[in-house]
Amino acid sequence: MQINIVGPGNMGRAIATRALAGGHGVCLVHPEADPARALAEELKQRFPDGESDWTASVEAADVTVLALWYDAALQAARSAGAALAGQVLVDICNPIDVSTMDGRVTPPDSSAAEEIQQIVGTDVKVVKAFNTTFAGPLTAGEGHDFPLDVLIAGDDSAAKDKIAEFVRSGAMRPFDVGPLRRARELEAMGFLHIAIQQPLELNWQSAIKILP
């Protein structure tokens, strides 16, 4: 697959790493050339046989990943417009109130993923994934010697299958947790996972695991 990753931060880097490890092509999307180019070059050093590039705006691809905070993800969805048509759009954000880091900012009867789906329209298939994983374990594809679990929600089965294929190719385990409205529970789970990092001194190295 060809995968756009919007946002060359820690999560963007981690998802790009998994994509390249799985044999997919990656295009890093950022309006400022320097951070995108720097990450593309870093990834080329790590995966010399892989395909990694950068661009200032979303291009045609199989999948676009919004590796952004909530407000930025909404803006990116609006800005991309028709470029997203026919793609699977992956929302990874946890819509946390960044002023307090204590609570979510989406309505109780919605989620970030559902808000993004409303923006992009029905020609784009939105999938929620990767919001319950942290960048460190995601870069490695495992946590504490277990394969990393990626929980996936979406209304389109083919779109979810495509993301599950991506997850498996990166040596992780996909779990289909249901329709896109299950993103509400995933985002609550993601918020809780973030909230316990400091009290439990987990240092962003914990992972949510489904056994067996």
Side-chain angles (χ1 to χ4, degrees):
M1 288 183 280
Q2 183 62 36
I3 301 174
N4 292 322
I5 299 178
V6 184
N10 290 338
M11 284 296 291
R13 176 184 285 103
I15 293 170
T17 298
R18 288 295 94 214
L20 288 165
H24 307 290
V26 167
C27 186
L28 303 160
V29 182
H30 197 279
E32 299 176 10
D34 288 347
R37 183 187 296 113
L39 180 53
E41 290 301 321
E42 174 190 323
L43 292 169
K44 285 178 182 177
Q45 293 293 322
R46 295 184 60 187
F47 298 94
D49 295 330
E51 179 188 342
S52 58
D53 205 346
W54 67 274
T55 183
S57 58
V58 171
E59 298 182 345
D62 300 295
V63 174
T64 289
V65 178
L66 298 180
L68 299 164
W69 286 95
Y70 176 53
D71 287 345
L74 295 180
Q75 183 56 47
R78 293 188 187 100
S79 299
L84 292 171
Q87 294 193 40
V88 177
L89 181 63
V90 180
D91 164 44
I92 77 163
C93 79
N94 287 301
I96 296 172
D97 184 344
V98 295
S99 66
T100 63
M101 297 302 288
D102 188 19
R104 291 175 291 152
V105 296
T106 46
D109 60 347
S110 189
S111 64
E114 290 168 285
E115 298 296 307
I116 289 169
Q117 182 69 82
Q118 288 186 12
I119 291 170
V120 299
T122 57
D123 286 343
V124 183
K125 307 305 181 185
V126 175
V127 172
K128 188 79 181 187
F130 297 108
N131 78 297
T132 59
T133 61
F134 293 138
L138 185 55
T139 299
E142 57 90 23
H144 306 280
D145 298 324
F146 287 100
L148 199 65
D149 291 345
V150 179
L151 310 182
I152 300 169
D155 290 335
D156 186 274
S157 59
K160 288 191 288 186
D161 287 346
K162 188 169 288 188
I163 302 309
E165 176 190 346
F166 166 32
V167 169
R168 281 190 292 268
S169 71
M172 301 173 289
R173 295 200 312 171
F175 284 91
D176 183 346
V177 301
L180 195 61
R181 65 178 181 273
R182 289 284 82 81
R184 304 172 195 180
E185 288 73 33
L186 290 182
E187 290 170 11
M189 185 183 295
F191 167 60
L192 178 62
H193 198 198
I194 290 168
I196 64 174
Q197 292 304 299
Q198 184 174 357
L200 300 184
E201 299 182 352
L202 298 173
N203 196 31
W204 308 100
Q205 295 303 308
S206 59
I208 293 172
K209 186 66 184 171
I210 294 176
L211 297 174

